[in-house]
């Protein structure tokens, strides 16, 4: 069992240009006082894994590139086995300001007016108090589409369904850690819908995000973006069918 309650999961693929700056800001006494850090190096072909090992963090190296979702699930499994109470996941590209960590942890541990705690807290670029950067027209269209689908299917308003900045309690990340409960490639709006339909409490909070300064996003390029726009609605309907038919509980 761990003395610290929080595990920060950072999935990384070919992010050598962003790693040093990110971990200089992440490996501070304020954050390390309540959180451990796990880097899941998804078979990067650059110095991502080497740079991560120069910091006081745990590094898991994939031999083969398994995808963003698989990297996250490795982190969930690690958190379950090591007995953490909370997980906070953030991207390795430097877009998520490290000041979000303490804020999301506070949200996870602060009950609402009815005394309920959230199971998942999403850092949003679009709620009051957020600070972000301008997104492309295509990105805005995808966000609007997936937000609409979430609202239509679950009745819940989620403004930033593709945010990789999330906090999860033990109930949520333990569920994700099990086989078949988490999307290995694009865990975005589909997973939000899944968890809402299953009765998990999902909330959003203001976040501070920056524009990527170096490296290449996994969604860079028109073909990748269009592929994502095609796959995600199909994945969403697959989730809905499985849950409504009782095949997933």
């Amino acid at each position: 069992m761990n003395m610290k309650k929080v595990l920060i999961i950072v999935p990384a693929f070919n992010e050598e240009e962003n790693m040093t700056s990110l971990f200089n800001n992440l490996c501070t006494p304020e954050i390390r006082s309540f959180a451990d850090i796990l880097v899941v190096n998804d078979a990067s072909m650059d110095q991502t894994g080497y740079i991560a090992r120069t910091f006081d963090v745990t590094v898991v190296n994939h031999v083969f590139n398994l995808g963003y979702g698989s990297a996250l699930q490795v982190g969930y499994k690690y958190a379950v086995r090591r007995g953490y109470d909370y997980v906070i996941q953030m991207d390795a590209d430097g877009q998520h300001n490290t000041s979000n960590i303490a804020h999301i942890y506070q949200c996870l541990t602060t009950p609402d007016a009815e005394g309920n705690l959230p199971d998942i807290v999403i850092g949003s670029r679009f709620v009051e108090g957020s600070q972000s950067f301008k997104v492309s027209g295509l990105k805005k269209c995808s966000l609007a589409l997936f937000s609409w689908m979430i609202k239509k299917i679950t009745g819940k308003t989620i403004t930033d369904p593709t945010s990789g900045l999330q906090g999860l309690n033990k109930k949520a990340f333990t569920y994700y850690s099990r086989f078949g409960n988490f999307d290995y490639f694009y865990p975005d709006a589909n997973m939000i819908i899944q968890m809402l339909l299953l009765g998990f409490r999902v909330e959003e909070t203001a976040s501070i995000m920056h524009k990527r300064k170096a490296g290449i996003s996994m969604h860079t390029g028109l073909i990748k973006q269009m592929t994502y726009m095609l796959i995600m609605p199909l994945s969403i309907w697959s989730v809905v069918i499985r849950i409504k038919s009782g095949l997933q509980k």
Side-chain angles (χ1 to χ4, degrees):
M1 299 293 289
N2 289 280
M3 296 299 292
K4 296 177 182 177
K5 293 186 176 183
V6 180
L7 177 68
I8 301 171
I9 302 174
V10 185
F13 177 66
N14 292 346
E15 294 288 1
E16 63 179 4
E17 296 178 88
N18 299 305
M19 296 294 283
T20 299
S21 175
L22 171 63
F23 285 100
N24 279 336
N25 293 323
L26 195 57
C27 295
T28 63
E30 292 78 13
I31 293 176
R32 297 311 301 267
S33 66
F34 66 88
D36 291 326
I37 302 170
L38 173 70
V39 179
V40 184
N41 175 30
D42 194 22
S44 296
M45 296 175 285
D46 60 9
Q47 296 299 307
T48 292
Y50 172 79
I51 295 171
R53 289 193 297 273
T54 65
F55 292 88
D56 182 23
V57 302
T58 300
V59 182
V60 172
N61 292 300
H62 286 175
V63 178
F64 301 102
N65 180 256
L66 300 177
Y68 175 71
S70 291
L72 282 174
Q73 194 180 53
V74 166
Y76 302 145
K77 291 179 182 292
Y78 181 93
V80 170
R81 293 188 179 184
R82 295 302 180 99
Y84 290 95
D85 292 327
Y86 302 96
V87 155
I88 298 175
Q89 62 191 53
M90 62 183 300
D91 295 342
D93 57 12
Q95 288 188 302
H96 301 153
N97 193 294
T98 54
S99 65
N100 294 308
I101 299 296
H103 175 65
I104 288 180
Y105 180 39
Q106 183 181 29
C107 292
L108 284 168
T109 55
T110 303
D112 61 17
E114 298 177 354
N116 297 316
L117 290 168
D119 297 306
I120 299 174
V121 174
I122 300 172
S124 172
R125 291 165 284 187
F126 308 113
V127 299
E128 185 177 355
S130 297
Q131 299 178 37
S132 187
F133 53 92
K134 187 177 181 180
V135 299
S136 67
L138 185 58
K139 181 71 171 179
K140 287 182 180 179
C141 289
S142 66
L143 288 168
L145 171 62
F146 300 139
S147 293
W148 176 82
M149 293 184 75
I150 292 172
K151 180 70 173 180
K152 196 72 173 177
I153 295 169
T154 70
K156 179 77 173 182
T157 298
I158 299 293
T159 66
D160 200 351
T162 66
S163 175
L165 177 63
Q166 297 187 20
L168 303 89
N169 66 9
K170 181 173 288 188
K171 178 183 175 183
F173 71 72
T174 299
Y175 183 83
Y176 275 161
S177 72
R178 298 173 185 142
F179 178 77
N181 288 354
F182 195 68
D183 190 295
Y184 301 136
F185 298 104
Y186 298 120
D188 284 328
N190 50 353
M191 295 295 94
I192 294 172
I193 289 173
Q194 169 185 276
M195 301 306 267
L196 286 170
L197 290 179
L198 290 172
F200 287 81
R201 291 184 291 274
V202 181
E203 303 296 338
E204 285 188 302
T205 190
S207 64
I208 301 173
M209 297 194 189
H210 310 288
K211 190 176 181 63
R212 173 191 277 272
K213 294 181 179 180
I216 300 174
S217 168
M218 65 178 179
H219 294 303
T220 297
L222 182 60
I223 293 177
K224 288 184 178 180
Q225 292 182 55
M226 295 305 294
T227 299
Y228 174 80
M229 289 285 288
L230 176 64
I231 290 176
M232 185 53 61
L234 295 175
S235 179
I236 287 172
W237 290 122
S238 175
V239 165
V240 172
I241 291 169
R242 290 200 311 272
I243 293 175
K244 294 294 187 180
S245 62
L247 296 176
Q248 185 168 345
K249 299 179 180 180

